[in-house]
Amino acid sequence: MIQFLLNQTLVTERDIDPNMTVLNYLRERRRRPGTKEGCASGDCGACTVTLGRVEQGRMRYETANACLTLISALQGKQLITVEDLRQQGALHPVQQAVVDLHASQCGFCTPGIVMTLFTLQKNSRGWDRQQAELALAGNLCRCTGYRPIMDAARLLCEQPVEDSFSRQAAITVQRLSALQHRRRQTLKEQGNCCFIPKTLGQLADCYRQYPRARLLAGGTDLALEITQACRPLPLLIALDQVEELQCWQVTEDSIELGAGLSISQCASLLSGLIPSFADLLRRFASQQIRNRGTLGGNIGNASPIGDTPPLLLALDAQLRLQCGDSERRLPLHDFFLAYRQTALREGEFIRSIVIPRGERVSNFRAWKVAKRPDDDISAVAGAFAVCLRDGVVSEARIAFGGMDAIPRRAPRCEQALCGRPWNEATLEAACRVLEQEFTPLSDFRASADYRRQIAGNLLRRYYLSLQGEIPFMGVADYVA
């Protein structure tokens, strides 16, 4: 059984297939057709809804792709759809702005854009064009054009208004808080089952009892097996109610991030600690995906083109792994074994990620190369961290994604740098070694030769960046 608020209506669902997406739930069970299915893969944003949750005693609103969000994720949250925006029979100010500024379209993608604008306004502290562009990057259809939509976004951020959601915020916090408890929940129907543990102990016990279960964090990757491959997942363990997985800690020696932290949360936490890491995370898919996808999930799925593993490899990160009551630490470079295969043992899960602090963090840079700056998958991602002593390289960490069957470091390139002066001659020697270090594939994102060339050019860019000869361009920095 799960409980959540559909706008302000308390909903209790006892018998429901845990493979059901929020999109299908809304359209089939609730007859709410405003939320559209465009791609069923989290790319177009037509299915965008808003999820509200209590954070430090206040409402926090986030967009989500309903097509990739499974029904278990609604536990203890408020679900808001485009049908809920009406204000006493009148259009919501967001809807009115879209109408008045001619930002409406054919009607198919407009509801998703409206929900993105609604959430942007709720989180806005004034007009910030970059934040608006980041928010809207996950809504890909723009038949009307960019300008009217951005005009509406600016108006809404500059002139925030009170609505039914803000007036009822205190009551909503109370009602959602009342839904929080420590009892493990279960969803079952049609032979499919999802366990929803609330504590780390419950998770460890459940996974040890059902080691063949699939761990469901944000579901932005796993749900594709349901929506694209049409394969039901008979046994799931949902993780997003386990608060211990969303904890973080910063000490003088390390940064520890819970595996259940969303990519959006990680970007916020790391912005002042490892700016280059945070900047790259803002190019991780779309805002809707970043709000749901987790750091642990991006590591655990072992994709060779995942955005975070090469960054963490270059930072010498370690994983805290737990199985039952036992815990061990594993260097990330020992975690990836082969394509989509990891060193996780039966019943073991990622608890947190530990990043050592020091000069390596200070000199860290990372870049993602894709065909477009937003909502795209890497062709190559490169991450670099070099330590210098009196102009000589004392330590080097060079890591890539998209260059092999797993994300991995380039040890021969690192060796070519270590113990040598940090100059152009050393750099070019290391680039020649790097050309032979990987055997990348050619696919529709890039050819093998292109990937090799890009890898070397990113290392050269790192050198120039560390020398101060080129600025770090942050979120807008990409190679088309």
Side-chain angles (χ1 to χ4, degrees):
M1 180 186 79
I2 60 170
Q3 290 186 301
F4 61 94
L5 295 180
L6 183 55
N7 191 4
Q8 290 297 331
T9 302
L10 177 63
V11 175
T12 301
E13 292 290 353
R14 289 183 171 83
D15 300 313
I16 192 166
D17 184 357
N19 283 249
M20 178 171 279
T21 64
V22 171
L23 172 67
N24 289 338
Y25 174 78
L26 288 170
R27 296 181 65 84
E28 297 172 9
R29 294 286 186 98
R30 291 290 165 176
R31 297 295 186 264
R32 290 187 173 217
T35 305
K36 310 297 186 184
E37 179 177 325
C39 64
S41 60
D43 288 323
C44 72
C47 68
T48 300
V49 296
T50 300
L51 296 179
R53 56 183 170 84
V54 179
E55 185 177 277
Q56 298 180 341
R58 304 182 65 180
M59 288 302 299
R60 169 71 177 175
Y61 296 99
E62 293 179 331
T63 52
N65 292 120
C67 71
L68 293 183
T69 304
L70 300 188
I71 192 71
S72 60
L74 297 181
Q75 167 59 34
K77 296 186 179 70
Q78 182 185 31
L79 172 61
I80 303 171
T81 73
V82 70
E83 288 90 346
D84 297 317
L85 298 192
R86 183 178 293 273
Q87 303 288 295
Q88 297 179 338
L91 293 177
H92 188 278
V94 172
Q95 295 169 308
Q96 194 64 57
V98 168
V99 172
D100 292 344
L101 294 172
H102 309 289
S104 60
Q105 303 178 103
C106 66
F108 197 87
C109 296
T110 297
I113 292 172
V114 166
M115 296 311 300
T116 294
L117 291 173
F118 167 79
T119 311
L120 175 66
Q121 184 190 51
K122 287 297 179 188
N123 295 323
S124 173
R125 297 180 181 176
W127 171 245
D128 184 324
R129 185 178 181 89
Q130 185 182 73
Q131 290 302 315
E133 289 176 347
L134 286 171
L136 285 160
N139 297 86
L140 293 187
C141 182
R142 292 175 172 85
C143 309
T144 307
Y146 291 88
R147 186 185 56 77
I149 298 172
M150 294 304 293
D151 287 347
R154 180 165 189 162
L155 175 67
L156 294 165
C157 291
E158 288 181 339
Q159 301 177 13
V161 295
E162 187 178 74
D163 59 12
S164 62
F165 303 97
S166 56
R167 288 190 293 270
Q168 296 174 321
I171 296 174
T172 304
V173 167
Q174 292 177 3
R175 299 184 72 192
L176 291 180
S177 298
L179 299 181
Q180 305 304 316
H181 57 77
R182 307 286 278 182
R183 301 183 302 275
R184 192 184 81 178
Q185 296 167 276
T186 305
L187 284 179
K188 287 184 178 180
E189 191 181 76
Q190 298 181 5
N192 300 321
C193 177
C194 178
F195 297 106
I196 309 174
K198 301 302 180 67
T199 67
L200 203 62
Q202 290 177 4
L203 166 59
D205 291 343
C206 188
Y207 199 29
R208 187 165 52 179
Q209 184 178 359
Y210 301 101
R212 301 301 179 190
R214 304 293 296 276
L215 296 181
L216 172 66
T220 56
D221 184 67
L222 185 61
L224 292 172
E225 295 190 25
I226 300 170
T227 64
Q228 298 291 297
C230 300
R231 284 197 305 266
L233 303 174
L235 189 57
L236 293 166
I237 300 177
L239 307 181
D240 64 355
Q241 295 287 313
V242 182
E243 291 184 2
E244 293 100 320
L245 292 179
Q246 299 175 37
C247 295
W248 58 278
Q249 182 179 25
V250 178
T251 68
E252 186 177 341
D253 299 322
S254 66
I255 302 166
E256 184 168 2
L257 302 172
L261 287 169
S262 71
I263 300 300
S264 292
Q265 289 172 317
C266 290
S268 177
L269 290 169
L270 294 174
S271 60
L273 297 168
I274 316 178
S276 184
F277 200 130
D279 281 335
L280 191 141
L281 289 185
R282 294 185 180 98
R283 294 195 54 214
F284 185 112
S286 65
Q287 186 71 62
Q288 292 94 321
I289 296 294
R290 292 191 294 272
N291 290 338
R292 293 293 305 153
T294 65
L295 180 60
N298 195 239
I299 297 168
N301 70 11
S303 169
I305 50 175
D307 283 340
T308 65
L311 282 66
L312 294 167
L313 285 167
L315 290 167
D316 255 359
Q318 291 188 332
L319 303 181
R320 284 182 65 191
L321 306 177
Q322 184 168 338
C323 180
D325 296 328
S326 301
E327 183 182 315
R328 66 177 174 130
R329 288 205 181 199
L330 182 72
L332 184 62
H333 60 76
D334 292 331
F335 180 73
F336 303 107
L337 303 180
Y339 179 73
R340 297 281 189 173
Q341 296 181 25
T342 73
L344 283 172
R345 298 167 182 168
E346 188 174 89
E348 190 173 50
F349 58 89
I350 303 172
R351 176 172 175 169
S352 64
I353 298 90
V354 182
I355 303 171
R357 302 185 73 179
E359 184 182 358
R360 190 184 302 119
V361 168
S362 302
N363 290 345
F364 174 80
R365 303 285 191 278
W367 290 276
K368 172 178 176 174
V369 179
K371 291 185 177 181
R372 59 177 184 251
D374 297 301
D375 198 13
D376 202 4
I377 295 172
S378 298
V380 176
F384 311 88
V386 166
C387 297
L388 303 174
R389 295 290 181 271
D390 299 322
V392 175
V393 179
S394 60
E395 181 183 282
R397 296 291 184 268
I398 312 295
F400 290 97
M403 294 290 289
D404 207 336
I406 59 172
R408 69 173 179 90
R409 281 168 45 186
R412 285 185 287 167
C413 179
E414 293 173 355
Q415 188 176 5
L417 291 170
C418 287
R420 291 171 173 81
W422 184 239
N423 57 31
E424 291 187 12
T426 298
L427 170 70
E428 290 306 319
C431 285
R432 288 193 293 273
V433 172
L434 185 58
E435 288 180 1
Q436 308 301 319
E437 185 116 29
F438 295 92
T439 308
L441 295 175
S442 292
D443 58 21
F444 67 93
R445 292 190 183 94
S447 67
D449 287 342
Y450 180 80
R451 286 186 161 104
R452 287 193 193 93
Q453 183 176 349
I454 285 296
N457 286 344
L458 289 180
L459 179 55
R460 294 182 179 96
R461 171 174 284 197
Y462 175 70
Y463 173 82
L464 294 173
S465 176
L466 220 57
Q467 296 294 99
E469 296 184 30
I470 62 170
F472 178 70
M473 302 298 290
V475 71
D477 187 33
Y478 73 102
V479 181

